[in-house]
Amino acid sequence: MQGSATHSGTYSFAGEFSFLSTNYDSMEPADDIFFSLGDIRSRLSAPICSTLLQIQKHQFSKGKSNEWIRNLECLSIPPKVGQKRRKGDGGESIEVKPQKMVLGRHKINPLDNFEDYIAVSWVWKPEPQEELAAVGGYWIESRGAGQEAQSDMRDIVLERVIKYANRLGYRLFWIDKICIDQQDKEEVKVATQAMDLVYSLSKKSLAIINRRIGTEGELNLFSELMKGELVNNDLDLSMLDRARKVLKLVDWLTSAGWWQRAWTFQEDYKASVNMVLLISHDPSLERLKRSQRILGSVPGELCIDSTDFRAEVTRFCQAYQQRFGSRQEDMKICNTILERAGKYTIRLREKGEDGDDIIRKPMSPTILADIGSRGISEPWDRLAIVANCCNYDARLNANELSDRRFSLSLAMLTQHLLNGEVINNGMRQRDNHSATQNIFDFLKSKSLDSFKSPIETELTFIKGCRLPKVELVKEGVQTQGHLWKLGKRIEAKCQIKLPGEGSTPGGLEGLQRYRLQQLAYELKTGTYGSCYETLADKFLLYLDEEKKSKGSFAEKYMCWMASEVFRAMMDPRQALRLGCLVDGSSNKNMPYSGIFVCDANEDEQSPEYVFTASRQSTGKLGEIDKHISLEVGLLNPKAKGLPKLIAKRWINGLYFASGRERRKVVFPWMDVLKI
């Protein structure tokens, strides 16, 4: 998306972010994303949380955008375009272009049919070397009239797309400047909210990178990088003499405008493994390129999967930083490259207590910061871009908020909270540091960072760890779910002899089922001091029904949690604590009906609470399943009214609350939002 609601503009941030050097009082509300919350508060007549409540009123439905995607207009490539060839003087094959190349229009429904298309990701404004690029060499079929009009796009962009499409056998491609009626403001607005679908539903997405590999040395360095030959599995640079040259090459490649725009960031993120980077090369390198076998076969182009490029670049930069940490200038280059082209599954990894690499932080704050650091013509478009990347179903009307001169920073915070992102609201003392942070640093430092994924695709699991049915109220963030009180701690004995258990297809393994059944029977028969029949019966019923699992979200989630209980039974560093629902009407504890995983050295005497909630996706486009399981502090255990909770950390557990009414709870505002 570009133009009036798009990613055109310069590649230098000097013009777009010049407000950083201006007086805050003269700043536009859309330009406040790098100012501190304290500065933003100084312009308000009431606490920040009051403004969040006002911003919340400007939500809207994505329905029109979902309808728009069902009538996606693509460009069709006639068979003759780019297909005819002749022999050159040296015997080489040369493409012969027809005198008039006309691209037709063709509407498809990516949701219901199987017409494959390429979604093109590019930057409208030419870089300096493209200023004199030819325009108008292609003709485009007019909408509805059967006539033709000259394209106002750079010919080289369409040439590269068509060359790629012909080589791989695609007939259709989508490109924003032509396929969206840029004069129709309503269509632009609707399409803005659907860009995630355009790229995620495409068979391939194609990034037009305005960089050209010109020498054999550059091509060989690039090939070594992409083959992973420069970095071994321990992130140890094995070819030190070439490392500096590769760093400069990667810095140059990622300094192209495509890496520095907010809209192209979204296009790359949503296309995921289907995004291909198109980097041109000198024709003399064609034979060498093909001999490398990983750079594609499109004449004059290197074709690289974006996810592979990001992975190798991230591994290389991390290794470089480890080996050459004393070179400050190079460290800055590495950090810049990682901000442009880092891969989240690598960037967000950290060492766990047992030395394993794990991910415990959510992507959303990093995504928001990466979008904020990139250039964009219309600052308020960042709301839609963040929503598209993070699969937010609660969206804000940017036009209304802009017209009423609300703060863009606070709109971002409102959208973040409305979609259930968890903030660590546990600091009860006045937090002066938070007031000095901009919205990006605030969300990075205050977002919950203790997630424990039960599956290998950690970021996918963590992305769904959100509060459902959120409403911002005077007291804080209100949601619905179940409140549990933790009680009895047990260490599984697994002494009861039972018949063997087989594995469930796509579910629990045989040993897991066997050990969990042992635990259930021991709970039932008093092995742990009392007979916990309610929990045991629900546990056994679950294990019986798990055999017939059909793979729904609820069934998968319970399977993951049952696996975590099994792991805790086998790990002496972990223990199990039984949990009982806290009745919503009387605040009395009910019989145990949940079992949660905790550290073996935790104090059993301190009262601990857990809040759980989930919401299965309704099937709407872009909607995700939500699930939450938080250890919380309860501020008002004996008071009437809604329970006020303080988020502490993530906690895994298997619990049975089916048929129990969800109760409303409130996570109170942090102090910085109340002053």
Side-chain angles (χ1 to χ4, degrees):
M1 282 290 295
Q2 306 182 41
S4 61
T6 60
H7 58 245
S8 64
T10 61
Y11 301 132
S12 169
F13 293 161
E16 294 177 1
F17 296 151
S18 60
F19 64 82
L20 290 174
S21 60
T22 65
N23 186 291
Y24 181 83
D25 291 335
S26 64
M27 181 196 68
E28 287 295 312
D31 293 339
D32 69 0
I33 57 175
F34 290 108
F35 280 84
S36 72
L37 293 180
D39 286 336
I40 294 171
R41 170 63 183 90
S42 69
R43 296 187 60 171
L44 304 173
S45 60
I48 287 176
C49 60
S50 297
T51 301
L52 303 187
L53 299 183
Q54 293 298 314
I55 293 174
Q56 174 184 228
K57 298 176 182 178
H58 297 274
Q59 297 184 57
F60 76 101
S61 169
K62 195 184 175 184
K64 289 184 178 180
S65 298
N66 291 343
E67 288 303 313
W68 179 86
I69 195 69
R70 297 179 188 276
N71 293 279
L72 187 67
E73 184 181 273
C74 293
L75 297 180
S76 61
I77 305 170
K80 64 181 180 180
V81 176
Q83 297 291 308
K84 294 184 178 180
R85 311 187 74 83
R86 65 174 176 81
K87 293 290 185 180
D89 295 337
E92 72 278 16
S93 178
I94 299 177
E95 183 178 291
V96 178
K97 300 176 183 176
Q99 291 184 344
K100 187 175 183 180
M101 294 173 283
V102 181
L103 300 176
R105 295 184 186 272
H106 181 74
K107 287 195 173 183
I108 64 172
N109 180 354
L111 302 174
D112 295 338
N113 63 29
F114 300 96
E115 291 189 85
D116 295 335
Y117 69 95
I118 298 171
V120 181
S121 179
W122 68 300
V123 177
W124 285 27
K125 188 175 179 64
E127 295 196 54
Q129 63 269 33
E130 294 180 309
E131 290 289 350
L132 300 178
V135 174
Y138 289 84
W139 292 72
I140 311 297
E141 179 185 352
S142 299
R143 290 183 176 89
Q147 298 178 346
E148 302 155 0
Q150 275 186 299
S151 164
D152 60 353
M153 285 185 57
R154 299 190 298 279
D155 292 345
I156 186 62
V157 174
L158 293 174
E159 287 174 10
R160 295 176 72 184
V161 173
I162 291 171
K163 181 167 56 174
Y164 177 88
N166 283 336
R167 187 71 182 185
L168 275 73
Y170 292 98
R171 187 178 68 90
L172 301 175
F173 69 93
W174 183 93
I175 192 163
D176 53 4
K177 191 172 186 180
I178 300 175
C179 297
I180 299 173
D181 186 350
Q182 300 296 325
Q183 305 306 313
D184 186 338
K185 292 184 178 180
E186 181 61 25
E187 181 179 356
V188 170
K189 175 183 174 182
V190 170
T192 296
Q193 302 291 334
M195 287 300 98
D196 55 332
L197 300 174
V198 171
Y199 289 88
S200 63
L201 294 173
S202 66
K203 184 69 173 180
K204 284 290 182 184
S205 292
L206 193 62
I208 307 300
I209 308 297
N210 189 2
R211 286 292 181 266
R212 183 181 179 87
I213 299 293
T215 68
E216 288 189 8
E218 290 174 345
L219 185 60
N220 285 329
L221 287 175
F222 186 77
S223 178
E224 290 172 16
L225 171 72
M226 292 309 303
K227 290 179 180 178
E229 294 176 351
L230 296 168
V231 180
N232 62 28
N233 291 331
D234 296 324
L235 294 181
D236 180 26
L237 290 171
S238 57
M239 305 174 71
L240 301 182
D241 58 327
R242 304 174 72 80
R244 191 78 186 274
K245 294 179 181 178
V246 172
L247 184 67
K248 290 182 177 180
L249 176 64
V250 174
D251 183 37
W252 172 70
L253 287 172
T254 58
S255 67
W258 187 85
W259 297 99
Q260 301 182 52
R261 308 301 298 171
W263 279 108
T264 48
F265 170 89
Q266 174 204 236
E267 292 155 10
D268 186 27
Y269 182 82
K270 295 307 298 186
S272 187
V273 296
N274 290 328
M275 178 64 80
V276 175
L277 307 180
L278 210 59
I279 303 170
S280 64
H281 66 78
D282 190 272
S284 64
L285 302 176
E286 189 67 36
R287 181 173 296 178
L288 176 60
K289 175 195 73 176
R290 299 199 180 201
S291 70
Q292 302 292 350
R293 299 183 181 277
I294 64 167
L295 304 177
S297 60
V298 177
E301 303 284 357
L302 306 181
C303 302
I304 295 294
D305 288 346
S306 176
T307 52
D308 293 341
F309 179 78
R310 286 180 176 274
E312 294 304 332
V313 163
T314 304
R315 293 178 65 242
F316 171 79
C317 285
Q318 288 181 343
Y320 196 99
Q321 288 175 320
Q322 288 182 11
R323 178 57 67 92
F324 302 115
S326 61
R327 299 184 180 183
Q328 294 301 314
E329 189 62 32
D330 287 353
M331 294 305 97
K332 291 180 181 179
I333 294 174
C334 283
N335 288 331
T336 299
I337 292 171
L338 290 173
E339 289 172 359
R340 296 170 183 162
K343 189 172 177 63
Y344 289 149
T345 53
I346 302 176
R347 282 175 65 186
L348 294 177
R349 290 204 172 275
E350 56 187 81
K351 290 292 183 184
E353 295 178 357
D354 55 3
D356 291 341
D357 288 334
I358 59 174
I359 298 178
R360 305 192 68 177
K361 298 178 181 179
M363 285 187 295
S364 303
T366 303
I367 289 175
L368 202 152
D370 284 345
I371 291 170
S373 69
R374 284 164 165 77
I376 196 166
S377 298
E378 299 291 336
W380 280 96
D381 283 348
R382 288 192 174 95
L383 279 179
I385 295 173
V386 170
N388 289 342
C389 288
C390 297
N391 292 88
Y392 286 164
D393 45 76
R395 296 182 176 234
L396 297 173
N397 191 315
N399 291 340
E400 292 180 1
L401 294 172
S402 175
D403 290 345
R404 288 164 174 77
R405 298 182 63 78
F406 279 103
S407 158
L408 178 55
S409 286
L410 299 189
M412 287 182 168
L413 177 57
T414 303
Q415 184 171 255
H416 194 80
L417 296 174
L418 283 173
N419 284 281
E421 302 280 9
V422 183
I423 298 294
N424 183 354
N425 65 333
M427 300 183 68
R428 303 312 303 160
Q429 73 277 16
R430 188 167 297 278
D431 179 12
N432 293 323
H433 177 62
S434 294
T436 67
Q437 296 177 312
N438 63 39
I439 186 60
F440 307 121
D441 292 337
F442 174 77
L443 290 178
K444 279 188 175 182
S445 64
K446 297 301 182 291
S447 291
L448 196 74
D449 59 358
S450 59
F451 293 101
K452 296 180 180 180
S453 172
I455 57 177
E456 292 183 359
T457 51
E458 296 141 302
L459 287 178
T460 300
F461 177 83
I462 295 174
K463 189 172 186 176
C465 295
R466 299 176 184 172
L467 302 169
K469 296 184 178 180
V470 168
E471 180 183 357
L472 305 186
V473 296
K474 182 179 179 180
E475 295 80 10
V477 177
Q478 180 178 291
T479 185
Q480 298 180 29
H482 296 102
L483 184 63
W484 306 78
K485 185 174 183 179
L486 299 185
K488 177 75 174 182
R489 182 205 305 269
I490 63 172
E491 295 181 8
K493 300 183 181 301
C494 301
Q495 297 174 343
I496 294 180
K497 301 298 182 182
L498 298 171
E501 283 283 331
S503 300
T504 302
L508 295 172
E509 297 177 357
L511 179 59
Q512 291 176 319
R513 290 184 55 80
Y514 182 76
R515 293 299 188 204
L516 292 172
Q517 280 211 337
Q518 284 183 311
L519 175 60
Y521 277 111
E522 289 174 349
L523 289 168
K524 190 177 183 72
T525 56
T527 302
Y528 304 108
S530 298
C531 296
Y532 305 109
E533 294 188 8
T534 299
L535 174 58
D537 289 343
K538 291 179 181 293
F539 207 156
L540 291 169
L541 178 61
Y542 160 69
L543 290 172
D544 183 58
E545 292 179 341
E546 196 266 342
K547 297 178 182 178
K548 301 170 282 187
S549 172
K550 296 181 180 180
S552 70
F553 160 68
E555 290 170 331
K556 287 190 293 185
Y557 186 79
M558 292 191 74
C559 179
W560 296 337
M561 292 299 110
S563 298
E564 287 300 294
V565 171
F566 166 77
R567 290 192 186 99
M569 293 168 63
M570 302 294 107
D571 187 346
R573 297 169 300 178
Q574 295 185 315
L576 299 173
R577 289 190 71 176
L578 307 186
C580 57
L581 280 169
V582 180
D583 183 71
S585 58
S586 64
N587 278 339
K588 292 182 178 179
N589 300 331
M590 304 173 73
Y592 287 133
S593 56
I595 184 165
F596 295 88
V597 177
C598 62
D599 294 333
N601 57 0
E602 286 184 1
D603 181 12
E604 183 181 358
Q605 302 305 316
S606 61
E608 300 290 350
Y609 294 87
V610 173
F611 176 74
T612 64
S614 64
R615 186 210 66 182
Q616 185 164 336
S617 168
T618 61
K620 293 180 180 179
L621 292 175
E623 192 177 60
I624 62 174
D625 301 316
K626 292 184 178 181
H627 45 85
I628 205 75
S629 182
L630 295 176
E631 182 182 328
V632 296
L634 180 59
L635 294 182
N636 54 344
K638 297 183 179 180
K640 294 182 179 180
L642 302 185
K644 294 181 179 179
L645 307 180
I646 299 299
K648 290 187 174 182
R649 60 178 176 175
W650 184 266
I651 183 170
N652 288 320
L654 181 65
Y655 49 87
F656 308 98
S658 178
R660 295 294 182 182
E661 183 179 1
R662 294 176 175 85
R663 62 188 304 188
K664 292 181 179 180
V665 300
V666 171
F667 289 83
W669 298 115
M670 297 178 59
D671 285 344
V672 70
L673 304 180
K674 296 190 297 183
I675 58 176

